[in-house]
Amino acid sequence: MPLLIYAVTSWLGGLFAALIAHRQDGVVSWWPAVASLALVGLGSGVFARRHQRASLVRAALVAVHVAALLVGDAAARQARACRVALGREPSLRVAIDERIEPGGRVTGVASGSGLTRGCRVFVSMRVSSGRAPAGSVVLATGTQRVTDRGLLIDAEVRETGDHDFLRAWRGRTGETIDTLFGRNAALVRALLIADQDGIAPDVRDRFADAGLVHLLSISGLHVTIIAEALLTLASACRIPRRMASAASLLVVMLYVGLIGAPAPAVRSAVMLSTVSVTNLLQRPVHPWTALALGAVIPSVDPTVVGDLGWQLSVGGMAALVAARALLRRLRLADPAGQANRTRRALLRWFRGLTGVRAWLARELLTGVIATLVTAPLVAWTFGRVSVVAPLSNLAAGPIVALLQPALFLTLVLAPWPIAARLVVDASAQLIELLDAVATWTAMAPYASLHVAPTLSGAMCAGVAAAAVVWATSARRWMPGVLIACAALTTAVWLPALLRGPGRLEMHVLDVGQGDAIALRTPRGRWVLVDAGRRWEGGDAGRRVVVPYVQRRSGAVAAFVLSHAHDDHMGGAVSLLRALRPARWWEPAFISSSERYRATLLAVREA
């Protein structure tokens, strides 16, 4: 690999370690930073041996990592300070993403002024009164709560007269998508304008079980498909290659800017630009160099390394480049020169494949490597690892390759409703087919393994994923395989070596309105009291309580429901199904709540 990829890996690893250090239950913990520094020190020592100035290269890589740790720490502290400072303001200026009506919910970005000038914080707002079109800058006044992601506000709003052009465009486009696509609008919004808020939890779970959850956000794959479709159209129109490349790149850049420049799309646009420019100059660039540039440029905002879309985009592209390198080595390898009989037979079989069989073998191998590399991220975020991901992606890939250009064409034709409707009708079957692939593969026996990795286990799995990438690209693959095996062994056995705290602990979880309290016994078991609130599309049990308990291991001995109000039992059903408490205690108050009745039915089923 080029030196640049090692430097970028060192930089991004430092930002990521600093971000993790600030996510330890609100307390800054520097052990992730120390562990990452040790890994960089060891890795740079191995890499530097190939260079004449080994000590200088090693020192430079370590210095880059230390600088990233400092920058990431400063960015995390600044982000937290902005959330706290804006959370104390009596009213906030918020640029909203969607049209708002009384009783509705909307997301946006709050901007500071005066002492908080320069602060920009994500806001999720429930509107008690006021109306405003999408893209408006409103003055929100009401109760504010600070979360790890931003601010929750129950607010009265009024327009200020200012507007955000990009948010207004996205809002109008979203309304157009709702009108054209009906019940498929939530999926189309995710694929076209990077809006995932409307995706139902069961749909997200289905795609996660199938290993297709990366399709629910604008990623490098979507941008690349659009670019390739534009080049194919230009070639059919006999437009010169250079002019077509420049035009498609310009369209892609404009599209990425209009949808808000999400980090995965920026990564893909940078890679496309790098490859296109270097090819025009007849100086082809190494794939790892293009990936390094695409990964590091979005980190101008250091907190981007915590964005799941960016993580999956970079990890998936690294797996793709590594798979191509492995395939190239397999094609060039000489079976006769292999000492191992099994290896000789496998190489002869692989090199003998042609046509569809060769394509299937290549795609399956690429899918397996991509699944292994992205598994730690998916396991940490969604609590599962899809076993069928290579097969589901093999089936879904051609569908998305046809669907994405059609949806993009719908966006272009939106000012002409009749023409847009024709494309919508043509793409409806593709959308249904994509959902069917996710449904069928998710229903397969043992399609996904439900896991709850601890932070240390997830980091060990991340080291294993990096080692797999290294093994596929290095001249000697055995050291990478050994490191991956050692890291996975540590991830599996480390939780078993951890004992209970030896004392009674009370963990009071931040679920916004309502309560969720976890008592941990001296022997490491749990008694849970209440499960927080529920909202449209999720609940605190699923979002907060279940991951918190699972990542610390230990059986749930009992669940205690203090009373049947929604902000205390909203997440109870999710908690019951995921954690399976041995006992359920409650005061059995008489209540007419339908949600309470549904909770009791779930208890009876369990």
Side-chain angles (χ1 to χ4, degrees):
M1 292 185 190
L3 177 59
L4 177 64
I5 192 68
Y6 286 96
V8 168
T9 302
S10 183
W11 172 262
L12 297 178
L15 295 180
F16 192 67
L19 184 67
I20 294 176
H22 284 265
R23 285 193 172 181
Q24 299 303 297
D25 309 327
V27 179
V28 179
S29 173
W30 280 106
W31 74 261
V34 173
S36 69
L37 189 58
L39 287 174
V40 168
L42 292 173
S44 62
V46 173
F47 169 72
R49 292 177 184 174
R50 307 175 189 173
H51 294 261
Q52 295 179 350
R53 301 180 179 180
S55 58
L56 181 61
V57 171
R58 183 173 186 179
L61 292 177
V62 172
V64 167
H65 189 74
V66 171
L69 288 173
L70 296 176
V71 170
D73 175 63
R77 291 180 187 275
Q78 177 66 22
R80 175 64 182 174
C82 283
R83 291 195 297 269
V84 172
L86 291 182
R88 293 172 179 167
E89 296 286 339
S91 59
L92 294 173
R93 287 174 59 87
V94 182
I96 57 175
D97 295 320
E98 299 288 342
R99 179 189 303 275
I100 56 176
E101 302 285 346
R105 292 180 178 272
V106 69
T107 58
V109 173
S111 301
S113 60
L115 295 177
T116 59
R117 184 178 298 276
C119 286
R120 291 174 59 83
V121 174
F122 172 81
V123 168
S124 179
M125 185 164 53
R126 183 169 57 188
V127 180
S128 58
S129 65
R131 289 179 170 83
S136 299
V137 178
V138 300
L139 195 64
T141 305
T143 305
Q144 303 175 20
R145 291 189 295 275
V146 179
T147 70
D148 286 340
R149 189 182 178 192
L151 297 175
L152 293 176
I153 307 178
D154 295 320
E156 299 177 357
V157 303
R158 60 183 177 86
E159 291 190 68
T160 63
D162 296 332
H163 293 272
D164 184 315
F165 167 75
L166 289 181
R167 293 181 187 279
W169 178 85
R170 288 185 66 201
R172 290 193 298 269
T173 303
E175 292 171 0
T176 301
I177 290 173
D178 294 341
T179 301
L180 291 174
F181 287 91
R183 63 188 181 89
N184 292 324
L187 183 60
V188 176
R189 275 174 169 261
L191 293 174
L192 266 184
I193 59 174
D195 179 9
Q196 302 182 55
D197 292 340
I199 297 177
D202 60 322
V203 174
R204 195 182 299 273
D205 286 345
R206 184 162 66 246
F207 273 73
D209 286 338
L212 300 173
V213 72
H214 61 282
L215 298 179
L216 297 182
S217 64
I218 289 291
S219 66
L221 171 66
H222 303 78
V223 176
T224 303
I225 288 173
I226 292 172
E228 291 295 332
L230 291 172
L231 287 175
T232 302
L233 180 62
S235 177
C237 296
R238 299 186 179 276
I239 298 175
R241 180 71 179 183
R242 289 196 172 194
M243 186 181 298
S245 297
S248 66
L249 192 58
L250 181 62
V251 172
V252 165
M253 292 290 189
L254 180 62
Y255 172 61
V256 170
L258 286 174
I259 63 175
V266 172
R267 191 276 307 161
S268 182
V270 171
M271 286 193 68
L272 286 172
S273 303
T274 303
V275 173
S276 298
V277 171
T278 54
N279 285 342
L280 288 175
L281 297 175
Q282 298 184 353
R283 298 287 299 273
V285 69
H286 197 285
W288 286 113
T289 301
L291 174 58
L293 292 174
V296 77
I297 286 178
S299 71
V300 171
D301 173 13
T303 59
V304 76
V305 298
D307 179 75
L308 177 65
W310 178 88
Q311 295 168 1
L312 289 174
S313 179
V314 173
M317 193 63 203
L320 180 60
V321 175
R324 288 175 177 172
L326 179 61
L327 289 169
R328 185 166 57 251
R329 289 172 57 188
L330 290 175
R331 286 195 298 269
L332 296 176
D334 182 11
Q338 302 295 323
N340 186 285
R341 181 181 302 176
T342 303
R343 193 181 301 171
R344 288 200 302 269
L346 286 174
L347 283 175
R348 289 195 183 98
W349 172 81
F350 179 80
R351 297 185 67 177
L353 295 175
T354 57
V356 175
R357 292 190 303 165
W359 176 80
L360 284 173
R362 289 195 304 269
E363 294 300 315
L364 283 175
L365 180 60
T366 301
V368 168
I369 294 175
T371 300
L372 292 174
V373 171
T374 58
L377 296 172
V378 177
W380 176 261
T381 306
F382 299 100
R384 71 202 73 193
V385 174
S386 177
V387 178
V388 297
L391 294 175
S392 62
N393 279 276
L394 188 65
I399 299 173
V400 177
L402 294 173
L403 176 61
Q404 193 68 29
L407 296 180
F408 183 74
L409 182 59
T410 305
L411 196 65
V412 175
L413 296 176
W416 302 278
I418 296 178
R421 175 62 66 181
L422 291 175
V423 183
V424 168
D425 293 340
S427 60
Q429 296 303 318
L430 291 174
I431 297 174
E432 296 294 335
L433 188 57
L434 178 62
D435 188 68
V437 169
T439 302
W440 296 337
T441 51
M443 291 174 59
Y446 306 105
S448 64
L449 303 177
H450 288 257
V451 295
T454 61
L455 179 59
S456 57
M459 291 185 68
C460 289
V463 171
V468 168
V469 173
W470 180 40
T472 56
S473 303
R475 295 179 181 177
R476 298 176 57 193
W477 55 271
M478 184 56 72
V481 172
L482 293 177
I483 292 174
C485 291
L488 289 177
T489 302
T490 304
V492 170
W493 285 102
L494 191 59
L497 300 178
L498 299 178
R499 299 181 178 180
R503 62 188 181 277
L504 180 66
E505 297 177 348
M506 182 172 72
H507 302 241
V508 183
L509 309 186
D510 181 7
V511 292
Q513 182 178 348
D515 283 333
I517 300 171
L519 302 175
R520 195 178 192 190
T521 71
R523 298 180 65 178
R525 297 207 299 169
W526 297 90
V527 175
L528 306 179
V529 183
D530 291 338
R533 63 191 181 94
R534 180 180 176 83
W535 57 86
E536 184 179 353
D539 59 73
R542 174 195 184 95
R543 183 74 60 85
V544 179
V545 182
V546 170
Y548 189 92
V549 172
Q550 286 183 327
R551 287 167 184 167
R552 286 155 181 80
S553 70
V556 178
F559 175 79
V560 182
L561 180 64
S562 63
H563 59 285
H565 285 176
D566 286 352
D567 57 348
H568 292 257
M569 69 170 183
V573 174
S574 295
L575 185 150
L576 176 70
R577 292 172 177 169
L579 299 180
R580 301 184 180 276
R583 293 178 177 84
W584 181 283
W585 292 338
E586 62 166 289
F589 291 131
I590 296 175
S591 172
S592 61
S593 167
E594 285 299 319
R595 188 166 294 166
Y596 181 46
R597 173 179 171 80
T599 301
L600 292 180
L601 291 175
V603 174
R604 186 173 69 181
E605 291 174 3

